[in-house]
Amino acid sequence: MAPGDFRDARGRSELLNESSVSKRIFDILLSSLVLIICSPIFLTVAALTYLALGWPVMFRQVRAGLSMRPFSILKFRTMSNERDGKGDLLPDHLRQTRLTAIIRRLRFDELPQLILVLAGVMSFVGPRPLPIQTLSDLGAIGQLRCRVQPGLTGWAQVNGNTRLNDMQKLALDIWYVEQHNLALDVLIVAMTLKTLVLGEVVNEHNVQKAETQPTILSCLRVGLDPKG
């Protein structure tokens, strides 16, 4: 490696370390603030969940974290375990009450994940955590998605979320992984507040920009098979 290349590599490493430290400080400050502000909501949701569905009020699911390492995600329960005559779980909408459906729509069921952000297992902003098998099936692009910590909210969530298809969400997640910085995280938090108030709206410009990034286009050229 030439001396100039070594200096460039060291400079990039220092920038990455500074960015990681800044993001961690941002996560600690913001999650602490939100936990304090939302503590009455946290306790109220826990009580309402208990009244609607009984104990336990939270549940855990294994998800892929940074570098595909498994971790247990925490959520307030919003569905019962009711099953049909064959023993299969009923469809989601039949296992929710009117109250728990509102809790889920407002994303209050995600509040326990603030604890994971404080613990450093998750970040406040990042791609939403997915099952390990789902990301493994995506191959190399699934691994790329896990180069940052999963987050409470992300670029896909503020650009359409449930109004997007899976490929659009993946494209937005990969765009974030390749572009993320503290200023973008602050923007996403602000856009999250706007989304909570005004509802989900698809940002066609941001979706198109994400879908035409080289990483996603390479997947399209191999028939949407990220392993290709």
Side-chain angles (χ1 to χ4, degrees):
M1 178 182 289
D5 293 337
F6 177 77
R7 286 194 296 271
D8 289 344
R10 185 175 62 181
R12 286 193 296 270
S13 177
E14 290 174 353
L15 285 174
L16 286 173
N17 288 336
E18 290 176 7
S19 176
S20 298
V21 171
S22 298
K23 186 174 179 65
R24 182 65 188 133
I25 293 173
F26 177 76
D27 283 343
I28 292 172
L29 293 176
L30 186 58
S31 59
S32 299
L33 177 63
V34 175
L35 265 175
I36 292 171
I37 293 173
C38 292
S39 55
I41 298 175
F42 195 103
L43 295 174
T44 300
V45 171
L48 292 176
T49 301
Y50 177 75
L51 292 174
L53 301 174
W55 190 262
V57 297
M58 296 184 196
F59 71 99
R60 295 175 179 266
Q61 287 182 329
V62 177
R63 292 287 188 265
L66 181 66
S67 302
M68 296 281 281
R69 289 193 294 268
F71 76 100
S72 294
I73 194 172
L74 286 171
K75 286 188 176 184
F76 280 119
R77 289 175 62 207
T78 56
M79 291 183 281
S80 70
N81 294 318
E82 292 183 70
R83 299 176 183 268
D84 59 22
K86 298 179 182 179
D88 297 324
L89 285 171
L90 294 174
D92 289 357
H93 69 280
L94 294 178
R95 294 189 290 129
Q96 294 184 79
T97 67
R98 186 174 299 177
L99 177 61
T100 59
I102 293 173
I103 290 173
R104 190 170 186 176
R105 181 174 62 82
L106 294 174
R107 300 183 188 177
F108 288 163
D109 59 321
E110 312 282 358
L111 285 175
Q113 290 164 42
L114 288 166
I115 299 170
L116 300 180
V117 176
L118 271 177
V121 179
M122 290 179 62
S123 180
F124 205 97
V125 177
R128 289 294 296 152
L130 293 177
I132 296 173
Q133 188 59 53
T134 299
L135 291 170
S136 295
D137 289 344
L138 291 173
I141 203 167
Q143 295 176 5
L144 174 60
R145 191 181 183 276
C146 290
R147 286 187 184 175
V148 298
Q149 284 185 315
L152 274 173
T153 184
W155 195 231
Q157 283 62 55
V158 298
N159 281 291
N161 198 22
T162 60
R163 297 177 181 270
L164 303 171
N165 60 43
D166 289 343
M167 189 62 196
Q168 290 172 323
K169 289 180 183 178
L170 179 61
L172 288 161
D173 286 339
I174 297 302
W175 187 90
Y176 173 81
V177 170
E178 296 186 334
Q179 306 292 332
H180 74 282
N181 55 63
L182 187 58
L184 179 59
D185 283 2
V186 172
L187 173 63
I188 291 173
V189 170
M191 292 174 69
T192 299
L193 294 174
K194 179 181 177 181
T195 300
L196 288 173
V197 174
L198 302 179
E200 295 173 348
V201 177
V202 176
N203 187 315
E204 299 288 353
H205 172 73
N206 286 341
V207 172
Q208 184 179 18
K209 183 166 63 174
E211 289 181 318
T212 55
Q213 63 187 307
T215 306
I216 296 301
L217 289 176
S218 66
C219 291
L220 292 172
R221 283 195 293 269
V222 293
L224 296 181
D225 181 5
K227 297 179 182 179

